[in-house]
Amino acid sequence: MSASSDSTILKIGIVGFGPFGQFLGKTMIKQGHILRATSRSDYSELSANLGISFFREVGALLEAENDVILICTSILSLQEVLKSMPLHHLKRPTLFADVLSVKEHPRNVLLRVLPQESDVLCTHPMFGPESGKDGWKGLNFMYEKVRIRNEAICSSFLQIFESEGCRMLKMSCEEHDKLAARSQFLTHTIGRILSEMEIQSTSINTKRFETLVQLVCSTSSSS
């Protein structure tokens, strides 16, 4: 699928190119978008194989005139990463989007640290490399337009997920975190407990037991 057929081709800079950033990046490249990435680890060879430009210095990434800066860091490192970014290297107003699994915290940090002219979009693709390995159709994608002036860029970014068949959920960060505290926390807690019990697939699995095995696989691969 080409981005030009459905939306504008975007220049997207990914900050934090670990497994989740790579997972998203592969689909964005497939759609025809132009990707750059930076990370604490050196992913230059992997990036080159994917057709993505890798920057060792975040300042150089910011100078590359991206339409979108996509934050794919961990929850714990978000504030440190943002505060260390030389934001004065930005050459024009830019959309900052995050994909963290909690939403009020990144929203507050982004609003506090970013320049006033930067747009802010908080999102949570509620799937990952395991649950989304066969495509994103029907999978939930939550978002809140926190501070958006350039609607065209924001809409083109959301179109990345909509065009893959995601179920688009417009929701406040507060509501997301309230619901996630009940559902996502419970899912990961049970998955980790079962992992500690070292349950394994058997030759006589029932459908219900197979569901538990799959839960262990999906949660143990998430940080």
Side-chain angles (χ1 to χ4, degrees), residues 190-217 220:
I190 293 174
R192 279 160 172 73
I193 290 173
L194 294 174
S195 178
E196 289 295 318
M197 294 172 64
E198 298 183 346
I199 70 166
Q200 296 180 352
S201 185
T202 73
S203 59
I204 56 170
N205 283 2
T206 63
K207 287 293 185 181
R208 289 178 178 175
F209 184 76
E210 187 61 37
T211 299
L212 294 179
V213 173
Q214 291 172 358
L215 176 61
V216 173
C217 291
S220 61

Side-chain angles (χ1 to χ4, degrees), residues 21-74:
Q22 295 165 27
F23 167 68
L24 296 178
K26 289 174 183 177
T27 293
M28 293 173 180
I29 281 287
K30 180 189 73 174
Q31 291 185 2
H33 299 290
I34 299 167
L35 264 64
R36 296 87 177 244
T38 188
S39 203
R40 287 180 297 182
S41 300
D42 184 2
Y43 291 109
S44 53
E45 184 175 349
L46 172 65
S47 298
N49 291 336
L50 294 173
I52 297 171
S53 301
F54 188 79
F55 292 77
R56 294 305 306 270
E57 299 295 332
V58 67
L61 178 78
L62 296 180
E63 289 178 348
E65 297 194 47
N66 301 282
D67 299 304
V68 182
I69 297 293
L70 183 59
I71 307 296
C72 297
T73 65
S74 69

Side-chain angles (χ1 to χ4, degrees), residues 7 10 12 28 31 33 68 95 97 121-124 136 141-145 148 151-166 168-170:
S7 61
L10 296 174
I12 302 171
M28 293 173 180
Q31 291 185 2
H33 299 290
V68 182
L95 170 63
L121 176 69
C122 287
T123 82
H124 182 195
W136 301 354
F141 181 88
M142 169 271 167
Y143 68 97
E144 181 182 4
K145 297 181 180 181
I148 300 297
E151 286 286 350
I153 293 295
C154 181
S155 295
S156 292
F157 179 76
L158 292 174
Q159 180 64 24
I160 291 172
F161 300 89
E162 189 170 0
S163 66
E164 293 295 322
C166 288
M168 307 298 286
L169 304 174
K170 188 174 183 180

Side-chain angles (χ1 to χ4, degrees), residues 93-195:
T94 305
L95 170 63
F96 280 75
D98 86 281
V99 291
L100 276 63
S101 59
V102 297
K103 294 275 52 89
E104 288 186 81
H105 171 63
R107 178 200 61 191
N108 294 342
V109 173
L110 289 165
L111 289 175
R112 184 166 63 248
V113 175
L114 294 179
Q116 281 291 326
E117 60 269 21
S118 296
D119 283 0
V120 176
L121 176 69
C122 287
T123 82
H124 182 195
M126 305 193 72
F127 50 90
E130 184 63 30
S131 56
K133 63 183 178 182
D134 297 320
W136 301 354
K137 186 174 182 179
L139 300 179
N140 290 334
F141 181 88
M142 169 271 167
Y143 68 97
E144 181 182 4
K145 297 181 180 181
V146 177
R147 183 173 68 202
I148 300 297
R149 299 181 184 88
N150 192 328
E151 286 286 350
I153 293 295
C154 181
S155 295
S156 292
F157 179 76
L158 292 174
Q159 180 64 24
I160 291 172
F161 300 89
E162 189 170 0
S163 66
E164 293 295 322
C166 288
R167 182 168 172 253
M168 307 298 286
L169 304 174
K170 188 174 183 180
M171 180 185 297
S172 72
C173 293
E174 290 88 352
E175 182 66 14
H176 169 277
D177 286 359
K178 184 188 300 182
L179 295 173
R182 300 170 184 169
S183 61
Q184 199 175 18
F185 172 77
L186 183 62
T187 300
H188 281 264
T189 300
I190 293 174
R192 279 160 172 73
I193 290 173
L194 294 174
S195 178

